[in-house]
């Protein structure tokens, strides 16, 4: 079972489907060997994953967490005008270096970002691909991005599952994600060819409040995860070190 973080992550459409896998395993006539993999599982989530997948005394292996070729940076944006200005500057800087992915929280934000790039940044519509859950031609959009026909992908967290594009040079996470793990999943799409790449996280208090409103108060674990990322953004700590520290709470 790959991408096992989907069992616990808010903000992706795969969560309900993944939660049915444990039932499928339990109903099999013979108990199979189960292996689960992810690049971003929090230590506190491991017991839940083990229980959900009916694993018995599993061996837990945590590999190397920090990628030396990947730079993680954060920037507070007091309003959307500043947010879009940051996006414009980053896209102009990295546009000639390779592919770019811009992550947004909601489908409407994806569409607004596309309109901004076309109308305010003079980027051709043919250079942009989109990925979100409502698209009927999602596979075609992803193929355009992989081939290089479109060098910018604007997407919700839907983009990334099973996708391996090696030459992504820049990830812009344009709004605060739901958790540290969600952010690192997005950032980890960059620089898979081993060459230098950057992930830029843009955030403000309104993003955080929007996430809390989406989560509501029905899931304490999700609220804790949102608070953890917000605290990291507010701190003066190096973003990469702070993120890795969350995954290594109980030691590597």
């Amino acid at each position: 079972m790959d991408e096992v973080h989907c069992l616990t992550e808010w903000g992706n459409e795969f969560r309900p489907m993944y939660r049915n896998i444990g039932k499928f395993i339990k109903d099999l006539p013979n108990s199979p060997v189960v292996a689960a993999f992810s690049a971003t599982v929090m230590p506190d989530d491991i017991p839940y994953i083990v229980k959900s997948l009916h694993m018995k005394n599993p061996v837990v292996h945590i590999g190397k967490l920090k990628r030396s070729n990947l730079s993680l940076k954060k920037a507070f944006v007091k309003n959307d005008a500043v947010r879009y200005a940051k996006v414009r500057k980053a896209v102009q800087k990295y546009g000639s270096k390779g592919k770019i992915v811009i992550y947004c929280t909601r489908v409407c934000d994806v569409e607004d970002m596309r309109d901004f790039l076309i109308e305010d940044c003079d980027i051709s519509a043919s250079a942009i691909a989109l990925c979100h859950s409502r698209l009927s031609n999602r596979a075609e959009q992803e193929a355009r991005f992989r081939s290089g026909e479109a060098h910018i992908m604007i997407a919700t967290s839907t983009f990334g599952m099973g996708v391996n594009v090696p030459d992504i040079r820049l990830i812009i996470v344009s709004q605060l994600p739901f958790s540290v793990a969600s952010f690192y999943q997005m950032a980890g799409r960059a620089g898979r060819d081993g060459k230098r790449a950057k992930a830029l996280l843009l955030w403000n208090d309104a993003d955080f409040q929007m996430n809390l409103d989406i989560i509501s108060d029905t899931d304490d674990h999700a609220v804790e995860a949102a608070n953890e990322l917000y605290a990291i953004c507010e701190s003066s700590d190096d973003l990469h070190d702070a993120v890795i520290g969350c995954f290594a709470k109980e030691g590597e």
Side-chain angles (χ1 to χ4, degrees):
M1 180 177 172
D2 199 10
E3 309 286 5
V4 72
H5 58 273
C6 288
L7 277 167
T8 58
E9 275 295 290
W10 269 86
N12 75 66
E13 63 181 295
F14 304 99
R15 194 182 193 209
M17 292 180 282
Y18 266 72
R19 292 194 167 187
N20 287 328
I21 295 175
K23 183 179 184 302
F24 170 78
I25 292 172
K26 184 179 180 181
D27 290 344
L28 290 171
N30 297 302
S31 180
V33 174
V34 179
F37 303 91
S38 174
T40 54
V41 169
M42 292 294 189
D44 293 345
D45 291 335
I46 292 175
Y48 176 83
I49 291 169
V50 169
K51 181 179 179 181
S52 179
L53 299 181
H54 304 283
M55 303 173 84
K56 299 175 181 178
N57 301 316
V59 174
V60 178
H61 173 72
I62 301 177
K64 183 180 179 181
L65 296 168
K66 190 168 185 177
R67 291 171 49 197
S68 59
N69 70 311
L70 182 60
S71 170
L72 303 186
K73 300 297 181 182
K74 61 187 177 183
F76 176 80
V77 290
K78 63 180 180 180
N79 53 43
D80 283 344
V82 177
R83 190 194 312 273
Y84 282 127
K86 293 278 189 185
V87 170
R88 180 193 292 111
K89 182 177 179 180
V91 167
Q92 290 174 343
K93 180 177 179 179
Y94 281 83
S96 62
K97 297 182 180 181
K99 295 185 178 74
I100 298 170
V101 178
I102 304 174
Y103 279 107
C104 305
T105 300
R106 303 168 300 182
V107 172
C108 61
D109 300 318
V110 169
E111 295 170 348
D112 287 346
M113 185 63 70
R114 174 200 57 199
D115 294 343
F116 167 74
L117 293 183
I118 294 172
E119 296 169 8
D120 293 77
C121 301
D122 295 324
I123 294 175
S124 169
S126 62
I128 300 171
L130 303 181
C131 183
H132 56 71
S133 59
R134 298 180 193 169
L135 281 176
S136 59
N137 65 338
R138 190 164 126 191
E140 177 187 335
Q141 293 282 320
E142 290 185 3
R144 290 180 59 245
F145 182 66
R146 285 196 299 270
S147 70
E149 178 186 343
H151 75 280
I152 299 176
M153 169 64 80
I154 310 174
T156 61
S157 58
T158 297
F159 179 74
M161 292 282 288
V163 177
N164 184 23
V165 181
D167 57 340
I168 296 173
R169 298 270 69 85
L170 174 67
I171 301 287
I172 302 175
V173 182
S174 68
Q175 294 162 292
L176 192 68
F178 290 96
S179 68
V180 172
S182 181
F183 166 66
Y184 207 46
Q185 276 287 328
M186 297 173 184
R189 303 294 167 194
R192 291 197 168 188
D193 55 5
K195 298 178 182 179
R196 293 203 61 80
K198 180 179 180 179
L200 174 64
L201 171 60
L202 306 178
W203 70 282
N204 60 24
D205 294 347
D207 292 346
F208 177 60
Q209 187 57 56
M210 179 178 71
N211 288 349
L212 292 182
D213 291 342
I214 293 171
I215 295 167
S216 77
D217 57 357
T218 60
D219 190 322
D220 290 341
H221 179 77
V223 172
E224 289 173 7
N227 280 319
E228 184 174 44
L229 180 56
Y230 181 66
I232 287 174
C233 289
E234 282 199 307
S235 76
S236 60
D237 297 340
D238 175 82
L239 180 59
H240 211 159
D241 289 342
V243 167
I244 295 302
C246 292
F247 291 107
K249 289 175 185 174
E250 298 176 9
E252 294 189 20

